[in-house]
Amino acid sequence: MITKILLENFKSFERLSELTLISSSKIRTSPEHRMQIKSTKLLRYGVVYGANASGKTNLVDFFRFFLMTLKVGLPSWSSQLFCKNNAENKHRESFFEIQFSVRDSFYAYGFTAVLSNRRITGEWLYELYQNGSSRCIFHRDVKAAQQISTKLSLSTQDKKRLITYSEDFSDNDTSLFLTEMNRNKKIDEDSKLIIFKNVFQWLINNIFIYTPNAPITDFRYYYDADSLKLINSLIATFDTGISNIRIEEISLNELTKMLPENIFNEIMADVRQRMEKFGMRHVNLSMRSDKNFFSLEVNDTGEPKVTTIKMKHGESFFDFGFEEESDGTRRLFDLLDMLLTDTDDAVFIVDELERSLHPKLTQHFLKLFNELHAKTRNQLIFTTHEASIMDRDFFRRDEIWFVERSSDNNSTLYSLDRFKERYDKVLSKAYLDGRYGAIPVFSSFRFHEYAFD
């Protein structure tokens, strides 16, 4: 679970900003939204409001950038991600940190970088204790000859290995040491160095980022009979008109009509490479475009098998293809992935959760999420404009956050909990009335001042 994020000099966030998911002890509403790890109580939701261009998407981009850097190092496009509001920011360090829990222990992992030069300047991993103290797992100071320091009580063998890995990495200032420690390194489960693996794997495998223009799910659930039965039951509750979902086999020729030729060729080349390079005799790919879904199953004994999904609407004689459904219905299919996941400690980061959805559908999804994950540690952090869910029936005050853009174009992040409101306050009305800021402010415009031919 995530406890806190911190960022500075990243896109519209010039000054150090933080979002915390540690619950307030003063708020008694919705106790089921709190999950306890040792003596720390964490929140299930983080809901971020703000006007257009306020910085909400930049907050989601923080997670995308963080994970991308962990996977492949500083990406080429990172050189333009510093806050461009002041000239000195170009050569100033940017700061990124995520605090989280793994196996009931708490950690803070982060790094600094001069983004314009694509150069990492520092990196750290600390274990955090309930009494406020911490232990250094490792600290890397690139400016001090790439030294890796640690407070771990390592065996002689592990100490030598860490020194060797550190020396081999000494000339690298575009990649992270945590990534290096998970690149073809064999670490025994009883080694103190296993913490490098546990932390890396949690960050890479347990944080899921969903943006409006990217499909969410890989539809793997549709190939399991029990899951498909559950999907049919869930989708029926949203009143979309769909009465049944099934898998239908189509020809390879039909697939070529669904995809641009270059995309189809790339997919088939990828399949052949997997089979030849890795000696795989069977490959199964599930893929989504904006309006199409298909699964491609290939083995070395016959023709590829291609399937897609078909929907039945009530008593309609003909079935409907995925491309024939509305944007809102396709969005629901994406969001179902978060309801069906069997991961017990997932963090879902969603930009514009309500996109293409009626407010009642958004509300229904949130109720289902809360119900289906009541016994898990799953969290949902999302940006939204939907004021109807700013209600105590849905969220606690400490789960609601605002991003506001200042006159100098800097984004400021703050919690609703800083406003001392009565418990009977209609929060959505107060927000739209401008009580909490983070709403659009319009300038006047007079048409008669402009002449048109």
Side-chain angles (χ1 to χ4, degrees):
M1 297 186 70
I2 287 179
T3 60
K4 183 183 293 187
I5 67 165
L6 301 101
L7 67 160
E8 181 179 5
N9 193 24
F10 178 74
K11 303 191 87 168
S12 60
F13 291 92
E14 181 176 27
R15 294 176 288 273
L16 184 64
S17 302
E18 69 173 56
L19 183 150
T20 179
L21 293 174
I22 299 174
S23 72
S24 169
S25 60
K26 300 174 293 183
I27 298 175
R28 306 298 181 188
T29 57
S30 301
E32 72 278 7
H33 287 202
R34 297 199 304 180
M35 295 156 284
Q36 187 161 335
I37 300 178
K38 295 181 179 176
S39 62
T40 301
K41 294 180 179 179
L42 301 178
L43 297 168
R44 185 177 299 283
Y45 299 100
V47 188
V48 183
Y49 285 89
N52 286 21
S54 61
K56 299 189 307 300
T57 296
N58 292 343
L59 195 63
V60 174
D61 285 344
F62 157 81
F63 288 97
R64 293 177 58 206
F65 169 75
F66 198 102
L67 295 186
M68 179 66 72
T69 305
L70 258 180
K71 292 174 182 177
V72 301
L74 286 174
S76 58
W77 40 266
S78 63
S79 62
Q80 298 298 312
L81 296 183
F82 60 90
C83 182
K84 296 180 178 180
N85 295 339
N86 288 307
E88 59 267 25
N89 289 338
K90 181 175 182 179
H91 302 292
R92 188 165 69 90
E93 283 185 335
S94 297
F95 181 98
F96 309 92
E97 181 175 284
I98 297 179
Q99 297 180 16
F100 54 97
S101 65
V102 179
R103 301 181 182 180
D104 289 350
S105 294
F106 292 91
Y107 301 94
Y109 173 71
F111 58 93
T112 55
V114 177
L115 296 177
S116 62
N117 296 334
R118 291 187 60 225
R119 184 170 62 89
I120 291 171
T121 55
E123 183 184 1
W124 58 89
L125 173 63
Y126 282 81
E127 183 172 5
L128 308 177
Y129 298 115
Q130 303 288 292
N131 62 5
S133 62
S134 63
R135 177 180 62 150
C136 175
I137 306 300
F138 83 91
H139 188 275
R140 170 188 173 200
D141 187 351
V142 178
K143 293 172 287 188
Q146 298 283 124
Q147 292 298 314
I148 304 292
S149 59
T150 181
K151 295 295 183 182
L152 287 176
S153 299
L154 299 175
S155 66
T156 301
Q157 182 180 2
D158 280 343
K159 193 176 294 184
K160 290 180 180 179
R161 294 175 69 185
L162 187 62
I163 291 172
T164 300
Y165 298 152
S166 175
E167 291 176 347
D168 291 343
F169 195 68
S170 61
D171 295 328
N172 194 327
D173 62 359
T174 61
S175 300
L176 296 168
F177 187 66
L178 183 63
T179 308
E180 180 65 21
M181 289 294 289
N182 283 271
R183 185 177 288 117
N184 301 320
K185 303 289 193 300
K186 184 177 180 181
I187 301 175
D188 297 330
E189 287 293 326
D190 59 352
S191 167
K192 294 287 183 65
L193 296 178
I194 197 66
I195 187 60
F196 287 87
K197 178 180 178 181
N198 293 340
V199 166
F200 180 83
Q201 292 297 327
W202 189 89
L203 289 168
I204 293 296
N205 297 326
N206 290 56
I207 299 177
F208 303 90
I209 303 168
Y210 308 141
T211 57
N213 298 320
I216 292 176
T217 182
D218 62 6
F219 284 82
R220 66 186 183 277
Y221 304 106
Y222 292 77
Y223 291 88
D224 177 82
D226 292 334
S227 292
L228 190 56
K229 183 178 179 181
L230 176 59
I231 288 168
N232 274 297
S233 298
L234 282 173
I235 203 70
T237 70
F238 285 93
D239 191 28
T240 61
I242 297 174
S243 56
N244 184 259
I245 304 165
R246 63 180 179 83
I247 299 296
E248 179 179 281
E249 187 170 351
I250 61 175
S251 68
L252 193 62
N253 184 51
E254 288 177 279
L255 177 61
T256 62
K257 296 177 181 178
M258 293 168 60
L259 299 171
E261 183 179 0
N262 62 318
I263 299 297
F264 175 80
N265 291 335
E266 287 179 13
I267 291 171
M268 298 308 296
D270 179 57
V271 169
R272 287 192 295 270
Q273 183 184 38
R274 293 188 189 202
M275 299 184 77
E276 295 170 3
K277 185 175 180 179
F278 301 105
M280 300 173 67
R281 301 184 62 184
H282 180 270
V283 175
N284 195 333
L285 296 176
S286 294
M287 302 187 70
R288 259 259 347 243
S289 65
D290 181 43
K291 293 186 177 181
N292 291 300
F293 154 75
F294 67 91
S295 180
L296 179 64
E297 187 175 357
V298 184
N299 57 52
D300 58 0
T301 60
E303 286 293 314
K305 178 182 177 181
V306 185
T307 54
T308 188
I309 60 173
K310 293 289 184 178
M311 275 71 68
K312 188 174 184 63
H313 286 247
E315 300 300 321
S316 60
F317 183 80
F318 294 101
D319 289 343
F320 291 80
F322 190 71
E323 72 283 357
E324 297 178 274
E325 298 296 336
S326 68
D327 288 342
T329 298
R330 291 200 298 269
R331 178 63 166 171
L332 280 178
F333 275 79
D334 287 339
L335 298 181
L336 285 179
D337 190 58
M338 288 185 278
L339 302 180
L340 296 166
T341 182
D342 53 6
T343 303
D344 182 48
D345 189 14
V347 181
F348 301 104
I349 315 294
V350 186
D351 195 13
E352 297 183 20
L353 178 74
E354 80 287 359
R355 182 179 65 86
S356 300
L357 298 181
H358 187 279
K360 290 294 184 182
L361 290 184
T362 304
Q363 294 172 16
H364 186 59
F365 168 79
L366 290 167
K367 288 178 179 178
L368 285 175
F369 186 93
N370 204 47
E371 177 183 336
L372 293 173
H373 294 309
K375 295 182 179 180
T376 72
R377 290 181 175 178
N378 292 340
Q379 291 174 303
L380 174 58
I381 301 172
F382 66 93
T383 70
T384 184
H385 296 286
E386 185 53 69
S388 69
I389 58 175
M390 192 185 289
D391 187 287
R392 291 185 180 87
D393 289 340
F394 289 98
F395 301 111
R396 297 157 51 98
R397 282 206 316 266
D398 50 357
E399 291 177 315
I400 297 175
W401 289 76
F402 301 105
V403 177
E404 186 169 53
R405 184 185 59 195
S406 63
S407 59
D408 56 359
N409 288 320
N410 291 322
S411 294
T412 302
L413 188 62
Y414 55 94
S415 171
L416 173 64
D417 193 36
R418 85 180 194 183
F419 297 90
K420 308 306 178 185
E421 298 286 20
R422 302 190 313 271
Y423 278 86
D424 60 348
K425 185 84 171 181
V426 180
L427 299 179
S428 58
K429 183 179 184 303
Y431 170 59
L432 294 175
D433 286 344
R435 170 76 174 86
Y436 315 122
I439 62 171
V441 178
F442 304 111
S443 301
S444 61
F445 182 86
R446 294 180 174 85
F447 277 99
H448 68 268
E449 294 179 0
Y450 294 83
F452 296 94
D453 294 329

